[in-house]
Each structure stands twice: as C-alpha cells, then as structure tokens.
Amino acid sequence: NGGKNCVGALSESASCGTNPCPVDGKYGTWAAWSKCTKTCGSGTQKRNRACNNPAPKYGGKTCVGKSSETRFCNTKRCPVNGGWSAFGNYGPCNNKCGGGIQKKMRYCSNPTPKYGGKGCPGLNTMIRACNLHKCPVDGGYSSWGAFSRCSKSCGGGTRSRTRSCTNPTPKYGGQSCSRLGASRETQHCGTGACPIPWSGYKTARVCEHHTMHLNCGSGGRVYIHSANYGRRSRAHCGNIFWYSTRCGSGSSHHNVVVRCNNRQSCSVKATNSIFGDPCWGTVKYLEVT
C-alpha cells in the first residue's frame, strides 16, 4: 500500500543478571606442624590451613573439612634420673677391738634410673671407725726360775721355783695366768736319811762290770755317806797312765742310796747301764763310803 517502512531497530536488548556469581571456598595448603608440647612422654602438635583458595564469596559455600588437625609427638618415654634411698643402719664392726670399721649403705632406687636417665651422684656407702678400745691381752708365764736351795740336806726337805706372769703381762681386761697353772712349784728334796753321828765309816770298791755287796749284819743298817762311779786314782782297777782320774757320774750317790740306804744288805753293779759313762774309754770303778 505504499506505506513507509518502520523506522528503528527491529529488536533491542537490555542487561540482566548483573550480580556476581557465588564462589565456594576451598582450603589452601596445610601450614607446618607446631612445636611439640613435650620433649618426651607423648605430647601433641598442631597445624592449620586457611579457607582461602579461594575464599568463599558472593554467597558461596564455606570450605568443607577441618581447618586444623592434631597429632601425637615425642612418644618415647622420658628419662628417669636415679634417686637415693635413705641410708640403712650401720652393719657390724669387722673387729671386736683394736679399731675396726663398719658400713651403712644406700641404694639408687628412689627411683631407679630408667630410659637413659642419670645414675645417682655420690657414694652409696658411709664408713666410720668402731671398737677403738684396746684388745685384751691374756697373761703368759715366763720360764721357770732355778730351784731354791733345799730346806734340808737330809731327812726330807723341799725346794721351790717360781715363774712370773710377765710374758706378756695381762692388760686391758685380759685373763690372768692362773688359768695356766700355779706360779710356784715345790719338790721334795734331801730325802736321804740323815747321817748317824758315828765315825766308823767303811769304804768299799769294785771295778767296772763287777758287783759290790754291802752287808751290815744282823741289826745293822747301811747308810751311804758318799759314792762315785768313775775314777779318781790310777791305783785301782788297772794302773794305766792315760786313764782320766777326774771323772765321776753325777748320779752315783743317788743310784747307790736308792738301792742300799736303811737296808741290812744290798748289791750294786758297777756298770754304765746304771750310772752312765762319765769318762769314755777309761776303765772305771765304784767307790762307796
């Protein structure tokens, strides 16, 4: 119909939905672990992560999951250093006298060192002196002294000898010598009969290996005044010039007395088996008065 075409654009557009889109949050990487709360005996340590990769925006969701986590650390046992117990009582002295020692102990058990812990410092023993008093010294006798002179020369006497408690002398409560016997010893002596006041002594003599016979007859008694088995002269039993003339047995008088005194008669053989040999190689004789 000859009309004019429309003037202008056939369509137009307009902006819409200009608000930003929601951004959901995501966690970043974990930070380093914190220092352990203990050096031993099981501690803990912690680490964190931030919700920033990206951070939630425009109504986006927050990060899913934990923002921190904890774990155990240094779980090995802690060293236990040793500690001393109290000292015990002192033990017995090792000597009863004269000075000794006694000990008392303590132990590294309060507590006992463990897991690389240190031992107890110092000594586990205390020592002190004990029983310092001197030890008793028991008395001991000296050797016997010489016998005293006989109280009688005949008819029965006594003689004595002594010893002293000086070897050692008892000290410091030690025992006396009485436990060892007497300090004096007495013997009989001078047991021969006393001489009868009479001058009618007779001398008898026999050579070695011969027997002397003495007889005082009825009512008489033999009393030996002197006796010698040996040799005092060359005039008897062989006049040999090299024979000793100064020898005699010390038991001569005794051996004749015990065989003859106070008897009516007796016999004595002149032999070495009775008197011993006072001069070897010399022919001897027994002479009795």
Side-chain angles (χ1 to χ4, degrees), residues 204-212 226-232 237 244 246-256 268-288:
R205 190 180 296 109
V206 293
C207 298
E208 186 178 0
H209 304 306
H210 291 75
T211 300
M212 177 181 288
S226 63
N228 183 68
Y229 175 73
R231 176 172 286 275
R232 290 177 177 169
C237 300
S244 171
R246 291 186 180 182
C247 75
S249 168
S251 65
S252 300
H253 185 266
H254 171 76
N255 281 321
V256 176
V268 183
K269 189 171 184 178
T271 177
N272 292 344
S273 63
I274 294 177
F275 298 97
D277 190 350
C279 40
W280 184 85
T282 294
V283 176
K284 294 164 279 291
Y285 57 86
L286 174 62
E287 183 175 274
V288 174

Side-chain angles (χ1 to χ4, degrees), residues 85-93 101-107 124-128:
S85 66
F87 274 102
N89 295 326
Y90 277 104
C93 194
I101 59 171
Q102 56 185 165
K103 301 177 182 179
K104 66 178 180 179
M105 307 284 291
R106 62 179 178 174
Y107 300 92
N124 68 338
T125 304
M126 286 186 68
I127 298 175
R128 70 179 181 184

Side-chain angles (χ1 to χ4, degrees), residues 145-161:
F147 275 105
S148 64
R149 187 173 181 178
C150 191
S151 61
K152 293 182 180 180
S153 61
C154 61
T158 58
R159 63 178 184 172
S160 62
R161 63 179 181 175

Side-chain angles (χ1 to χ4, degrees), residues 1-30:
N1 299 309
K4 294 180 178 179
N5 289 331
C6 293
V7 178
L10 294 177
S11 62
E12 68 177 349
S13 61
S15 296
C16 64
T18 57
N19 292 329
C21 292
V23 177
D24 292 337
K26 290 185 180 180
Y27 282 115
T29 58
W30 289 100

Side-chain angles (χ1 to χ4, degrees), residues 214-280:
L214 303 178
N215 193 328
C216 289
S218 180
R221 288 290 183 268
V222 174
Y223 172 76
I224 304 301
H225 179 266
S226 63
N228 183 68
Y229 175 73
R231 176 172 286 275
R232 290 177 177 169
S233 170
R234 293 194 180 96
H236 310 294
C237 300
N239 184 9
I240 309 295
F241 71 90
W242 62 80
Y243 281 171
S244 171
T245 58
R246 291 186 180 182
C247 75
S249 168
S251 65
S252 300
H253 185 266
H254 171 76
N255 281 321
V256 176
V257 165
V258 297
R259 289 170 171 77
C260 295
N261 259 22
N262 293 320
R263 299 183 182 181
Q264 180 180 326
S265 63
C266 64
S267 298
V268 183
K269 189 171 184 178
T271 177
N272 292 344
S273 63
I274 294 177
F275 298 97
D277 190 350
C279 40
W280 184 85

Side-chain angles (χ1 to χ4, degrees), residues 55-174:
K57 295 185 205 178
Y58 315 125
K61 296 177 181 179
T62 61
C63 293
V64 177
K66 296 179 180 180
S67 62
S68 65
E69 65 180 356
T70 302
R71 70 178 181 182
F72 292 108
C73 53
N74 291 338
T75 55
K76 64 182 183 296
R77 293 180 182 271
C78 293
V80 177
N81 294 332
W84 289 114
S85 66
F87 274 102
N89 295 326
Y90 277 104
C93 194
N94 66 339
N95 283 330
K96 293 182 178 179
C97 57
I101 59 171
Q102 56 185 165
K103 301 177 182 179
K104 66 178 180 179
M105 307 284 291
R106 62 179 178 174
Y107 300 92
C108 192
S109 60
N110 188 32
T112 302
K114 297 179 186 177
Y115 316 124
K118 297 178 180 179
C120 295
L123 300 175
N124 68 338
T125 304
M126 286 186 68
I127 298 175
R128 70 179 181 184
C130 53
N131 291 341
L132 299 177
H133 59 280
K134 291 184 179 292
C135 294
V137 177
D138 294 337
Y141 278 123
S142 65
S143 299
W144 286 104
F147 275 105
S148 64
R149 187 173 181 178
C150 191
S151 61
K152 293 182 180 180
S153 61
C154 61
T158 58
R159 63 178 184 172
S160 62
R161 63 179 181 175
T162 60
R163 54 184 179 174
S164 59
C165 190
T166 56
N167 187 35
T169 302
K171 297 181 194 176
Y172 315 122

